[in-house]
Amino acid sequence: MMSKELNLSGVFKQANLDKGLLEIAEKVQNAERITEEEGVLLFEKGEPGFLGALANHIAGRLHHGKVYFNRNFHIEPTNVCVFTCNFCSYSRLYKHRDEGWELSMEQMLDIVRKYDGQPVTEVHIVGGVHPKMNFEFFCELLTKIKAHRPGLHRKGFTAVELDYMIRKAKLTIEEGMKRLQEAGLQSLPGGGAEIFHPDVRNEICADKVDADGWLNIHETAHNLGMHSNATMLYGHIEKYEHRIDHMSRLRQLQDKTGGFNCFIPLKFRNKGNDMSYIKESTVVEDLRLYAISRIFMDNFRNLKAYWPMLGRQTAQLTLSFGVNDLDGTIDDTTKIYSMAGAEEQKPSLSTEELCDMIEAVGRIPVERDTLYNEIKVYKAEQAVS
Ligand code: V47
Ligand code: SF4
């Protein structure tokens, strides 16, 4: 990990760097925010080595070599969905529900009970938007999970699921979010954001909640004292400007509320969906994107690489490109990415495997809870400082 004292811009001056890039290096050195135009310039001209050095510098300043993970599992109530996002390999329309799954309350509670006595700290609930699984059903699920295991953090429902279930229950977003919080919801995952810009959103997922609706749900959650994550689905038809526009909208909301825990870029995977004709991004493009996210999103403390989607080797490489979080152990409880062609067909990592991945690149593995409170720091003395 690069130390604070290293004069980054000095190093790059000697390397005869583009003037605009040099100015960005100076800003990073001085912990200043970069503009949208500078963000686009990084995509156009930034080489992986340059971007990695800047992103590493920022991650080092924020986290001093620590890389976080948590012990979690997923509940995916259903893959039946009223929406038809073109990139989705996972969902089935209601009329084809015999090809999908619909878990009952008891089946979902059985998943929770399976972890009795195991040191998991979070359940992540996410799925399709089923026309018959309604608001009250999910309130009951949350209440029952809370009653069974009060200390298990309940992170649930993308803004897409929330928008649909709350509107269908004829509640305002604020009323709905309050009721879910009372039932036991504690934070929101970051899904459903995709790309906010309408030129892209209308092409890839026209029928679900738009950018303002997504941002409003997260803002409402933050105002109620809940935290949330934010994602960006990249590597399909979007241009550099759309990525920066997306990150900029998130950066603005974070300035206002401070309620986002982390930013998670999600790499588009092309198997079994209506966008299979698009080639997937290369590892170099992935690494550049993570680094630029770290540089641009200056008010997000945490940048997460979701290893089931990226694959564990690329996820490990992102740790040298600004990433400080590898999500969790997951225990083979998600199907979203394996159905879209990700390498990880049975996503599960033991704590030991996660620690080995982190230590192999000279970082300190730290188990965290959902809100990034540290639970256990592993073998700190071996980290590169
Ligand atoms: O919104 C769907 C993405 C998201 C594909 O908050 C795809 O901790 C790539 O948001 N290729 C849902 N991505 C999952 C999600 C998530 C995952 C892990 C952690 C957290 C968190 C949130 O999955 C969707 C969409 O952007 N997705 N299909 C695909 N073919
Ligand atoms: Fe439904 Fe989500 Fe798939 Fe879109 S991405 S079709 S909202 S499950």
Side-chain angles (χ1 to χ4, degrees):
M1 173 109 344
M2 223 166 262
S3 81
K4 240 199 234 164
E5 291 74 37
L6 181 63
N7 182 346
L8 270 178
S9 47
V11 170
F12 291 121
K13 246 180 219 153
Q14 286 169 15
N16 238 346
L17 209 69
D18 175 281
K19 188 167 164 282
L21 293 181
L22 249 185
E23 282 168 13
I24 295 173
E26 262 160 26
K27 283 191 168 179
V28 169
Q29 176 85 49
N30 299 327
E32 287 167 26
R33 174 168 286 189
I34 68 163
T35 64
E36 291 187 22
E37 292 70 30
E38 287 170 329
V40 173
L41 183 72
L42 287 178
F43 275 118
E44 285 169 350
K45 295 200 174 158
E47 289 171 22
F50 170 75
L51 296 170
L54 298 194
N56 238 335
H57 182 77
I58 298 168
R61 189 161 63 207
L62 288 169
H63 302 291
H64 312 286
K66 288 180 176 171
V67 172
Y68 296 94
F69 66 92
N70 71 347
R71 297 201 214 203
N72 62 350
F73 64 95
H74 288 218
I75 297 180
E76 296 183 353
T78 184
N79 67 339
V80 173
C81 191
V82 297
F83 296 117
T84 51
C85 305
N86 294 342
F87 53 80
C88 185
S89 323
Y90 163 88
S91 67
R92 296 291 178 270
L93 285 170
Y94 187 68
K95 61 182 175 196
H96 301 306
R97 63 188 181 283
D98 51 326
E99 295 168 14
W101 68 87
E102 299 163 298
L103 300 185
S104 66
M105 183 71 67
E106 271 316 295
Q107 284 173 315
M108 291 193 270
L109 294 172
D110 277 344
I111 297 177
V112 178
R113 289 183 203 113
K114 203 179 111 191
Y115 291 91
D116 284 356
Q118 292 190 39
V120 288
T121 59
E122 173 190 283
V123 53
H124 177 160
I125 311 168
V126 66
V129 179
H130 194 293
K132 305 233 157 121
M133 286 184 178
N134 62 24
F135 182 79
E136 298 301 337
F137 177 77
F138 288 120
C139 285
E140 189 184 335
L141 174 67
L142 290 163
T143 305
K144 287 189 163 155
I145 296 176
K146 185 178 171 183
H148 180 73
R149 191 163 172 179
L152 185 66
H153 187 104
R154 296 160 300 275
K155 176 174 96 179
F157 312 117
T158 63
V160 177
E161 296 165 270
L162 292 166
D163 178 65
Y164 184 86
M165 71 169 92
I166 293 173
R167 279 192 299 111
K168 209 165 173 206
K170 302 212 174 348
L171 299 169
T172 65
I173 294 298
E174 200 183 350
E175 287 163 350
M177 294 302 297
K178 253 191 197 151
R179 291 257 324 264
L180 286 159
Q181 189 180 27
E182 282 158 15
L185 187 65
Q186 291 171 290
S187 54
L188 312 189
E194 322 313 356
I195 288 284
F196 289 142
H197 198 287
D199 287 354
V200 176
R201 203 167 184 86
N202 292 338
E203 291 296 318
I204 65 170
C205 56
D207 51 358
K208 70 185 185 188
V209 68
D210 65 7
D212 289 344
W214 191 99
L215 291 163
N216 178 45
I217 287 176
H218 282 255
E219 183 169 357
T220 307
H222 298 171
N223 290 338
L224 289 169
M226 287 189 258
H227 285 258
S228 71
N229 296 337
T231 57
M232 174 173 78
L233 181 69
Y234 73 91
H236 43 92
I237 61 166
E238 88 288 359
K239 300 200 162 46
Y240 296 151
E241 285 78 6
H242 298 130
R243 294 178 180 176
I244 291 294
D245 171 74
H246 187 92
M247 291 196 256
S248 184
R249 294 186 205 216
L250 291 170
R251 199 169 74 168
Q252 282 167 42
L253 180 55
Q254 181 74 329
D255 277 342
K256 207 166 155 188
T257 65
F260 286 117
N261 276 335
C262 74
F263 181 55
I264 316 164
L266 295 171
K267 173 190 174 108
F268 166 68
R269 309 300 311 235
N270 69 4
K271 190 173 146 223
N273 56 50
D274 291 344
M275 288 162 58
S276 294
Y277 62 94
I278 296 173
K279 245 176 89 182
E280 290 182 357
S281 56
T282 62
V283 174
V284 167
E285 283 162 344
D286 297 333
L287 297 176
R288 292 178 72 244
L289 180 125
Y290 276 92
I292 295 169
S293 307
R294 182 58 285 168
I295 297 164
F296 191 81
M297 306 292 265
D298 62 335
N299 54 0
F300 278 65
R301 265 192 76 73
N302 300 296
L303 179 65
K304 186 195 281 189
Y306 187 55
W307 63 264
M309 171 269 284
L310 268 181
R312 53 193 87 182
Q313 292 193 352
T314 306
Q316 191 180 29
L317 277 172
T318 64
L319 298 179
S320 300
F321 288 78
V323 166
N324 69 294
D325 185 10
L326 286 180
D327 198 82
T329 42
I330 299 169
D331 200 22
D332 190 22
T333 47
T334 178
K335 295 201 182 68
I336 298 180
Y337 293 103
S338 50
M339 289 172 79
E343 293 81 357
E344 305 289 345
Q345 287 299 304
K346 287 214 165 278
S348 182
L349 277 177
S350 66
T351 304
E352 203 184 2
E353 286 170 314
L354 267 169
C355 288
D356 286 349
M357 268 171 78
I358 295 167
E359 284 176 343
V361 293
R363 301 296 153 91
I364 308 162
V366 180
E367 187 190 341
R368 63 162 174 88
D369 67 12
T370 309
L371 303 176
Y372 289 84
N373 298 305
E374 292 186 2
I375 295 177
K376 183 172 175 187
V377 180
Y378 290 79
K379 299 185 192 165
E381 70 283 357
Q382 288 181 7
V384 176
S385 60

